[in-house]
Amino acid sequence: MSGPAPAPGAQVEAALRPDLRGRTAYGAPQLDVAVQLNTNESSYPVPDEVVADVLARLGEDLAGLNRYPDREFVGLRKALVDYLELQSGARLRPEQVWAGNGSNEVLQHLVLAFGGAGRTALGFTPAYSMHPIIVETLGTRWVDGQRDAESFDLEVGSAVEQVRASDPDLVFLCSPNNPTGTALPFESIEAVLAAAPRAIVVVDEAYAEFARPGTPSALALLEHHERLVVTRTMSKAFTLAGARLGYLAAHPSLVDALRLVRLPYHLSTPTQAVAEVALAHAPRLLSTVEAIKEQRDRLVTELAEMGLRPVPSDANFVLFGGLADAPATWQALLDAGVLVRDVGIPGHLRVTAGTPEETTAFLTALRSLLPQHLAPTSTTTATAEGARP
């Protein structure tokens, strides 16, 4: 006689890699509510003239879909180089640029090439939670470095000490950081490069276009640091979260190494076409950035006036503390039709800067919950994941 039938999924669970058992997939809630301010997307739609040009370009390209796309995405790389010079003043060559289906794929390429069994990656919590997920699912050891528990700053001396202690093969830095919104000075980046003399140092600049005036980009350091990588995305400032296009800039030899791990023809013809058209319209698409920054700064000002503790931000979102029970406040806001992000930091929530109307709706809903949702005056600790989106 046979024994009891195994539970549904038991055979799959037994076959799954042991280090993946019990894990949950990454994902921000996608809920149909009136005000969605949880994933740092742009609240502004793609302008009609850009849509028209994308459709025209796709009309030219669709008949050729029987052929594989340009494996080296030459046109896109040239367009990215031109954009980066326009946006940051950095003068790069096309062979210094690499792209993928969102910056997550670009990050994955980096870990595939420079991580792996017996290798270590380091990041500083709270930061972008996909960094450890990508690292660990690709068989690389993750070291969870720490920021200051109260200010969330990454102090140079602490960063250097932690880097030296772990002797990593990869280091992940975020500037501006997610979920705190704070940018890093060059001093910190160069100190980490010096403290980790064999590591690839990745500076994630997904929100660089939203930085306050005078905030430098790590792109300016590439000329002097062969192990430095700067990653960016078109999901945020370019209003193209649905297009899935991320990219990096680095030394040509590092870019060349990524060809060893990328899948064949990984960027489709339509993806390349949409991105090239968008880059040709960069000034028009980026015209909403200043409006978004105004709402971000409005959030910082008005949240502080409510007695909450917002973190001054260089991104398109604001992390704020001072809540008695962040999950309860998150639910209460959702009940009011406003979706924000609970990033797991006690007493804190994160809100995307949207349109003026969305900002007003959020602030109005939050005011209606106070002072009942305010925490007693105390400090809170940062012991949780960050998130992007």
Side-chain angles (χ1 to χ4, degrees):
M1 296 178 61
S2 61
Q11 295 180 54
V12 173
E13 180 73 10
L16 187 65
R17 279 169 36 193
D19 60 307
L20 296 182
R21 293 173 191 163
R23 298 179 70 114
T24 56
Y26 173 88
Q30 290 185 308
L31 305 176
D32 186 14
V33 297
V35 181
Q36 299 179 28
L37 299 174
N38 71 320
T39 53
N40 301 337
E41 303 156 313
S42 174
S43 292
Y44 295 90
V46 178
D48 290 343
E49 61 267 35
V50 181
V51 172
D53 282 359
V54 167
L55 289 173
R57 171 67 182 272
L58 290 175
E60 298 172 1
D61 291 347
L62 289 178
L65 291 185
N66 58 308
R67 301 297 184 184
Y68 285 115
D70 176 5
R71 182 174 53 210
E72 293 300 315
F73 42 97
V74 174
L76 174 57
R77 292 164 83 179
K78 289 178 179 177
L80 285 167
V81 166
D82 291 343
Y83 165 69
L84 289 175
E85 181 172 3
L86 174 70
Q87 192 270 328
S88 69
R91 294 186 176 182
L92 304 173
R93 304 186 304 280
E95 56 265 32
Q96 290 181 266
V97 175
W98 187 253
N101 291 283
S103 60
N104 286 327
E105 185 177 45
V106 168
L107 293 166
Q108 184 183 60
H109 288 166
L110 288 167
V111 179
L112 283 167
F114 300 104
R119 296 200 166 196
T120 298
L122 167 71
F124 299 93
T125 298
Y128 181 33
S129 59
M130 275 305 298
H131 290 160
I133 290 173
I134 293 170
V135 163
E136 291 179 333
T137 56
L138 293 177
T140 305
R141 175 174 171 261
W142 174 259
V143 175
D144 199 22
Q146 297 297 310
R147 294 170 174 266
D148 183 271
E150 295 183 14
S151 69
F152 307 111
D153 289 338
L154 182 59
E155 192 271 325
V156 176
S158 172
V160 167
E161 182 179 341
Q162 294 182 71
V163 166
R164 288 175 176 165
S166 61
D167 187 26
D169 300 277
L170 283 157
V171 179
F172 291 91
L173 303 171
C174 291
S175 185
N177 186 47
N178 180 16
T180 63
T182 49
L184 285 174
F186 279 180
E187 176 190 11
S188 297
I189 298 169
E190 293 191 296
V192 167
L193 281 159
R198 63 185 186 83
I200 300 300
V201 176
V202 182
V203 181
D204 189 330
E205 288 192 349
Y207 301 94
E209 287 89 349
F210 299 100
R212 287 168 289 184
T215 304
S217 167
L219 291 167
L221 299 174
L222 287 175
E223 182 180 357
H224 306 291
H225 297 285
E226 186 174 324
R227 294 176 291 108
L228 178 64
V229 181
V230 181
T231 64
R232 289 197 171 193
T233 182
M234 295 183 71
S235 292
K236 314 301 182 183
F238 272 88
T239 75
L240 288 179
R244 309 308 302 131
L245 196 291
Y247 59 101
L248 63 75
H251 191 276
S253 62
L254 192 149
V255 170
D256 192 52
L258 302 182
R259 291 184 174 85
L260 301 173
V261 297
R262 60 103 176 262
L263 294 175
Y265 311 105
H266 70 288
L267 277 181
S268 73
T269 296
T271 298
Q272 295 182 44
V274 171
E276 287 181 38
V277 172
L279 288 162
H281 285 275
R284 176 68 179 91
L285 288 169
L286 296 176
S287 65
T288 60
V289 166
E290 290 304 316
I292 292 169
K293 289 166 66 174
E294 286 180 11
Q295 296 310 303
R296 174 199 68 197
D297 295 341
R298 176 188 170 195
L299 286 166
V300 170
T301 298
E302 297 197 30
L303 287 168
E305 290 172 352
M306 293 184 203
L308 294 161
R309 296 194 295 275
V311 179
S313 175
D314 284 292
N316 68 337
F317 57 82
V318 175
L319 180 75
F320 62 98
L323 299 169
D325 184 339
T329 304
W330 179 89
Q331 184 62 56
L333 287 168
L334 181 61
D335 293 342
V338 179
L339 179 61
V340 297
R341 188 69 180 269
D342 181 355
V343 295
I345 302 176
H348 289 70
L349 293 173
R350 191 194 70 192
V351 57
T352 304
T355 64
E357 295 77 16
E358 288 173 330
T359 302
T360 297
F362 161 71
L363 292 169
T364 300
L366 186 57
R367 282 194 187 93
S368 72
L369 302 176
L370 303 180
Q372 292 87 347
H373 284 247
L374 282 175
T377 303
S378 63
T379 59
T380 55
T381 57
T383 56
E385 66 172 322
R388 183 174 86 236

